[in-house]
Every structure is written in C-alpha cells, then in structure tokens.
Amino acid sequence: MKTFDIPPVWLLLTVLLALALPQVVPAGLSLKSPIIDLLSAVFLGGGVILIAMAVSQMRRMQTTFHPREEAARLVTGGVFKWSRNPIYLGYVLILAGVILCFDTILSLPLVPIFLWFIEKRFVIPEENALRKKFRLDFARYCQKTRRWV
C-alpha cells in the first residue's frame, strides 16, 4: 500500500474527485470565460514547469525527489530559492488548473483541502527529516525561504 501512498497518486485521486463532483451534485455554476481559460492554462503549464524545474534541480544535486527516500543533499538553489516545496506547489497549481479548465467550480474547495492534506501527510514529515539531517543548514534555509511561496 505504501507504493500508492505518494503525492502524484493523491493528486490523481483529487483530480478525479474534482471532475466527478459536478456529476453527483449538479449546481449549474460556471466561470467559463476566455480569462478563466487563460488562467487555467497558466496554472496547468506553470505547475508542470515548476515540477520539471524542481526535479531537474534535485537530479543535478544527486538527491531523491521521492518522499519516502532520505535526501542525500539539501537543495536550496533554483526554484527552491522561492519555495521549499516547489513540487507540491506544482501539484496544487495543476489541481486548480484542472478545476478551472473543466469548469467544475464546486470542486474549488478541494484545492485548500488538498494543500492541507499534502502538508500534513508529506511536507511536515519531510521537513522534519531534513531538519534532523541537515540541522543548522536547514534552519537557515527555513529562515530565508517560505514553505510555499
């Protein structure tokens, strides 16, 4: 079961729930407009690019991006200068982008719920492991870089 307890699986399940919710509870709400379509594309594209940049940076630093593996190095450069969790931030952007793209407005509350869940389930335990392993370096990093943005 641990194999499936990873953030991309939780993102996929949340996306599926977001797409199914309007089928179960039709409300007739819509935000469809060219501006929302553009915002959706920005969120989706931005999320994918942010994840790709973060994974690339972690590979260059020869450390893992898998949440269950121990980090070999503390990555603080690239997109990690702006956010301690750019991959998870990318997931949140993708979720928001999908909800806007498919105009499933009733599903918008899933975005903060997903963020909260990911933070409790993955971010805090990962940060605790980094804090334990990299001590002062991680403390300095936390002072300079916010958890999300």
Side-chain angles (χ1 to χ4, degrees):
M1 192 58 146
K2 278 190 174 185
T3 305
F4 296 106
D5 186 19
I6 56 175
V9 171
W10 287 106
L11 174 62
L12 176 62
L13 292 172
T14 308
V15 163
L16 293 174
L17 177 61
L19 296 175
L21 188 60
Q23 308 304 319
V24 177
V25 185
L29 299 174
S30 177
L31 290 177
K32 206 64 173 160
S33 74
I35 292 173
I36 295 298
D37 289 342
L38 177 64
L39 189 60
S40 168
V42 168
F43 284 176
L44 285 166
V48 169
I49 290 169
L50 191 57
I51 292 167
M53 290 172 69
V55 169
S56 173
Q57 182 71 24
M58 293 175 94
R59 284 190 173 166
R60 271 196 300 275
M61 295 293 295
Q62 298 178 336
T63 192
T64 185
F65 56 87
H66 193 284
R68 300 266 183 249
E69 296 175 4
E70 183 178 334
R73 288 174 184 69
L74 181 63
V75 182
T76 60
V79 293
F80 289 90
K81 284 183 182 179
W82 306 317
S83 170
R84 293 196 313 254
N85 297 287
I87 294 174
Y88 296 132
L89 185 57
Y91 292 153
V92 170
L93 289 172
I94 289 170
L95 176 60
V98 167
I99 289 170
L100 292 176
C101 179
F102 288 93
D103 201 29
T104 58
I105 303 314
L106 281 179
S107 299
L108 280 172
L110 290 175
V111 175
I113 292 168
F114 177 77
L115 179 71
W116 172 83
F117 176 78
I118 288 295
E119 185 173 293
K120 297 298 180 212
R121 182 79 184 98
F122 297 100
V123 172
I124 291 173
E126 285 177 30
E127 288 188 349
N128 287 340
L130 292 171
R131 187 174 286 108
K132 186 176 179 182
K133 183 169 184 171
F134 298 107
R135 300 188 185 275
L136 189 56
D137 289 336
F138 187 74
R140 278 192 224 116
Y141 177 54
C142 288
Q143 287 177 342
K144 290 189 301 185
T145 308
R146 297 179 62 160
R147 179 176 280 163
W148 294 109
V149 184

